[in-house]
Amino acid sequence: MTNTQKTTESIQDDQAAEAFPAPNDTIRTLLGRRSIRAFADEPLDQGIIAALEASAQHAATSRYFNEWSAIRITDPSIAQAIADEAHQNYITQAPLLYIFLADQRRNADLIAAEETKHSESDDGFILNTSYAFLQAQNDAVLALHAMETAAYSMNLGCVILGSIMNDPDALIDLLHLPKLVYPVLGLAIGKPAQDPAPKPRMPRPAQIFENTYQRANEEEINKALQDFDRTVFRYYRDIRHMDAPRKTYSQIMADKAFGTADGHRPMADSISRQGFDWTK
Ligand SMILES: Cc1cc2nc3c(=O)[nH]c(=O)nc-3n(C[C@H](O)[C@H](O)[C@H](O)COP(=O)(O)O)c2cc1C
């Protein structure tokens, strides 16, 4: 029995008081998902790549604007530059790497090609608004998630890469991103060369509320969160020894919620330079 199966069962046991439909393959894939950061040195065949890309393309898209793109990185020197900036060398080991983008450029170009009296510089142009930026970002994330789930369903593994945004301007230059395009996340995919146990998740009543944001049942929720703290501590101590912080979840948060350790700069200027207008 693999780690994945074990932990999936224990998640279900923890929540056994609630009705839980017998998992089908899709639910098993979702419950067994965990980030993979070590990959076999094996290329993926074109059919698998096509299935992954088509799955991403079938994700929902806000207003049917199809406002995302992805760049498949096949040039090792570009992958290395991304890994250097992200400080995560396993990015170069993955046989497949994508950078997902919020993209209003394609739609803007299509409008320009139409016989219309309007242009991108008109006040009424809305593909550069804060809403358009956020919806394009949502589109990109949903497409990435569809690709990630498709990958796990084919026994591949993935890691999502927020670290590509350590220096967005450098990435924009590296990938030659035009105006109205902004990087969102990376996704590295490959055959897993590790089998980490899925990380425990929050007690559900602490994360999923009913009707309004709830502080009701505070005592019960606090107790569940304290149990969760102990579960996370044990997970790192007993199961995940290799990268173990040996801390409770609250202690990990207390460490991560302050300071400049992650080095992220404010992004508003860089987003504006790409042509999005926060005031609109
Ligand atoms: C938006 C986002 C950005 C992430 N960025 C990174 C990253 O840059 N590097 C990395 O190793 N993992 C990254 N991850 C993976 C998270 O660390 C991981 O999902 C989390 O620790 C939970 O572990 P699990 O995926 O194994 O359940 C990212 C995940 C998300 C959703």
Side-chain angles (χ1 to χ4, degrees):
M1 182 182 278
T2 65
N3 276 334
T4 312
Q5 286 164 326
K6 262 190 245 157
T7 312
T8 300
E9 279 168 17
S10 67
I11 288 169
Q12 289 161 19
D13 287 343
D14 289 348
Q15 297 170 352
E18 286 179 74
F20 201 91
N24 56 30
D25 283 348
T26 306
I27 292 175
R28 256 190 295 278
T29 297
L30 290 167
L31 295 183
R33 192 210 59 80
R34 71 273 193 255
S35 296
I36 293 296
R37 298 183 177 84
F39 303 97
D41 185 17
E42 279 176 40
L44 303 180
D45 74 48
Q46 289 305 317
I48 290 195
I49 295 174
L52 292 170
E53 294 182 357
S55 300
Q57 288 191 280
H58 280 263
T61 164
S62 168
R63 301 175 286 180
Y64 193 42
F65 274 24
N66 296 287
E67 49 211 341
W68 67 274
S69 297
I71 300 181
R72 192 187 324 112
I73 307 290
T74 54
D75 178 336
S77 68
I78 298 181
Q80 188 63 58
I82 292 170
D84 290 347
E85 203 52 61
H87 309 299
Q88 293 182 324
N89 207 44
Y90 47 76
I91 293 175
T92 58
Q93 291 157 10
L96 199 53
L97 173 64
Y98 292 91
I99 304 296
F100 280 78
L101 310 164
D103 185 356
Q104 299 288 5
R105 179 75 264 147
R106 186 174 39 242
N107 285 334
D109 287 347
L110 289 170
I111 300 163
E114 277 292 300
E115 292 284 329
T116 164
K117 42 188 187 319
H118 298 296
S119 93
E120 222 176 290
S121 54
D122 290 1
D123 278 349
F125 182 67
I126 54 108
L127 297 185
N128 61 352
T129 60
S130 48
Y131 184 78
F133 178 81
L134 287 172
Q135 295 300 62
Q137 170 113 0
N138 288 340
D139 264 31
V141 170
L142 290 172
L144 174 145
H145 186 246
M147 184 182 279
E148 186 204 24
T149 302
Y152 280 102
S153 77
M154 295 189 286
N155 296 318
L156 299 172
C158 307
V159 60
I160 297 174
L161 301 163
S163 54
I164 62 155
M165 297 302 279
N166 283 351
D167 185 347
D169 292 330
L171 189 65
I172 287 164
D173 283 350
L174 181 72
L175 302 179
H176 303 173
L177 304 187
K179 294 258 177 192
L180 298 183
V181 179
Y182 201 73
V184 178
L185 287 169
L187 184 64
I189 307 175
K191 202 169 157 201
Q194 60 178 187
D195 185 19
K199 284 184 192 165
R201 288 315 203 238
M202 289 265 155
R204 215 173 308 142
Q207 194 159 36
I208 300 180
F209 310 137
E210 196 167 339
N211 296 321
T212 57
Y213 194 96
Q214 274 167 357
R215 301 271 184 210
N217 304 328
E218 201 158 356
E219 207 172 310
E220 196 184 312
I221 288 178
N222 283 344
K223 190 186 161 306
L225 285 171
Q226 282 161 14
D227 289 345
F228 177 65
D229 260 344
R230 282 189 284 273
T231 303
V232 170
F233 181 88
R234 281 196 300 269
Y235 171 82
Y236 280 114
R237 187 193 60 191
D238 301 340
I239 301 177
R240 200 75 183 252
H241 330 263
M242 276 160 42
D243 52 1
R246 301 224 169 185
K247 288 181 176 158
T248 66
Y249 182 83
S250 301
Q251 286 165 342
I252 295 169
M253 274 305 110
D255 285 350
K256 291 193 172 174
F258 297 95
T260 54
D262 67 358
H264 288 123
R265 277 165 269 159
M267 287 183 184
D269 285 349
S270 140
I271 295 169
S272 301
R273 266 196 297 281
Q274 286 307 100
F276 291 97
D277 183 349
W278 281 119
T279 62
K280 277 171 80 176

